[in-house]
Amino acid sequence: MPHSTSLIALLCIGFVAAFVLGAAARRLRLSPLVGYLLAGVLVGPFTPGFVADQTLAPQLAEVGVILLMFGVGLHFAPRDLLAVRAIAVPGALAQIAVATAMGWALAHYGLGWRHAAGVVFGLALSVASTVVLLRTLEDRRLLDTGQGRVAVGWLIVEDLAMVLALVLLPALAAGRDGGAAGPAGIAAALATTLLKVVAFVVVMLVVGRRLIPRLLAGVAALGSRELFTLAVLAIALGVAFGAAMLFGVSFALGAFFAGMLLNESALSHKAAADSLPMRDAFAVLFFVSVGMLFDPRILLAHPLHVLATVLIIVLGKSLA
């Protein structure tokens, strides 16, 4: 297939496969997400036939995550997150610690991995899937409830914790390999990241809180539906990209703050409605891209290890 058509092929075949398998899953009274994941397996590199572009799929999936988090932010005000901090902050941190410890134990004693690899494995297990959780809350109409606010606050704490973890891991690895990073280097990396996160929050609450609603209101006054929709997408994607490039936070967190600052605007419901179709479409590609990473042979090669990992996620984290 010509390289110039890889994007078109990914969109066409990915959407068609996701639709067919998603509808089949729904017929079987399963979540359509199961069908989307199977569609990813079908077009992934570990099954015969068409193989989707593995560099384009994650980027398109990231667009879906950005739009989804932007839409969720439109349902929240800063006071909503502050109201659940007493539960979300200690709860998320405790769960991260417990899940990381369980993942490390499985990796070190069960798989024979080194301590550093076990910690990374545990951290990966400790973080919930933002997209899966939010889609589930939306489907069950729980997003605007007290439980939904706690869950979203929990996700934000996890996201911030992973920002710090991803910064510290290279420094810790350099120190382990005899590099220049030591306690001072690790402390400097941590302090720099914390300053960036604080700067991002301050800029969004001080500057973005005034600028973003006024910008959208000015575009709405022009009376063009196309320009309004384009402005919504530009705000969501632009703030997410700027947050990642300038402050080192995730795309999802930047988009969430952009939507949250629009929450108090009279145009927030229209912004949510206009972005909904693209948000749902690209969110499907997120699940397709995740399915592309799955190698079915792992179930035959390491069934007990896979089962133990599932039990940590389903039972261990729930108990924590």
Side-chain angles (χ1 to χ4, degrees):
M1 180 176 295
H3 179 71
S4 58
T5 63
S6 58
L7 174 59
I8 299 175
L10 171 60
L11 292 174
C12 294
I13 298 179
F15 279 136
V16 170
F19 166 70
V20 173
L21 294 177
R26 192 66 176 176
R27 284 280 186 179
L28 297 174
R29 297 189 177 182
L30 299 173
S31 170
L33 304 186
V34 176
Y36 305 156
L37 291 170
L38 291 177
V41 176
L42 188 65
V43 301
F46 304 107
T47 53
F50 171 78
V51 177
D53 192 317
Q54 292 176 273
T55 59
L56 287 175
Q59 295 183 53
L60 293 174
E62 196 70 59
V63 175
V65 175
I66 290 171
L67 295 177
L68 178 65
M69 290 300 292
F70 177 75
V72 171
L74 289 171
H75 292 274
F76 285 82
R79 61 179 179 275
D80 295 326
L81 292 182
L82 293 176
V84 300
R85 66 186 184 277
I87 300 175
V89 175
L93 295 179
Q95 189 185 59
I96 289 173
V98 172
T100 301
M102 290 189 294
W104 165 82
L106 173 61
H108 182 67
Y109 296 106
L111 301 175
W113 293 2
R114 294 181 178 179
H115 292 295
V119 171
V120 174
F121 179 68
L123 285 172
L125 298 185
S126 71
V127 184
S129 172
T130 302
V131 179
V132 173
L133 181 56
L134 293 180
R135 288 296 295 269
T136 303
L137 290 174
E138 286 185 332
D139 291 343
R140 297 177 182 272
R141 302 182 185 279
L142 294 175
L143 192 59
D144 293 324
T145 64
Q147 299 97 316
R149 292 188 177 91
V150 170
V152 172
W154 199 294
L155 290 174
I156 297 303
V157 175
E158 286 187 348
D159 203 341
L160 291 172
M162 289 306 109
V163 169
L164 298 178
L166 291 175
V167 170
L168 290 177
L169 285 177
L172 293 172
R176 181 178 61 83
D177 296 336
I186 295 173
L190 181 60
T192 301
T193 304
L194 287 174
L195 286 174
K196 286 184 176 180
V197 171
V198 171
F200 165 71
V201 174
V202 170
V203 168
M204 292 301 293
L205 293 180
V206 175
V207 179
R209 197 170 193 173
R210 294 186 176 95
L211 180 61
I212 292 177
R214 290 180 181 178
L215 174 62
L216 197 61
V219 175
L222 298 176
S224 172
R225 180 180 177 182
E226 292 81 5
L227 281 177
F228 183 85
T229 302
L230 184 60
V232 172
L233 296 177
I235 290 172
L237 298 174
V239 172
F241 184 79
M245 295 299 105
L246 298 177
F247 301 100
V249 303
S250 66
F251 290 117
L253 188 60
F256 176 80
F257 267 82
M260 190 170 59
L261 296 181
L262 274 177
N263 171 267
E264 298 176 357
S265 170
L267 298 169
S268 61
H269 294 292
K270 180 172 174 55
D274 283 11
S275 62
L276 182 62
M278 291 193 65
R279 186 185 75 184
D280 288 346
F282 279 97
V284 168
L285 291 180
F286 168 83
F287 294 101
V288 173
S289 69
V290 171
M292 290 173 60
L293 301 174
F294 177 65
D295 185 353
R297 294 173 296 182
I298 197 69
L299 297 176
L300 299 177
H302 303 284
L304 295 180
H305 295 149
V306 173
L307 178 61
T309 302
V310 172
L311 290 177
I312 288 175
I313 296 171
V314 176
L315 295 181
K317 291 178 63 177
S318 298
L319 292 175

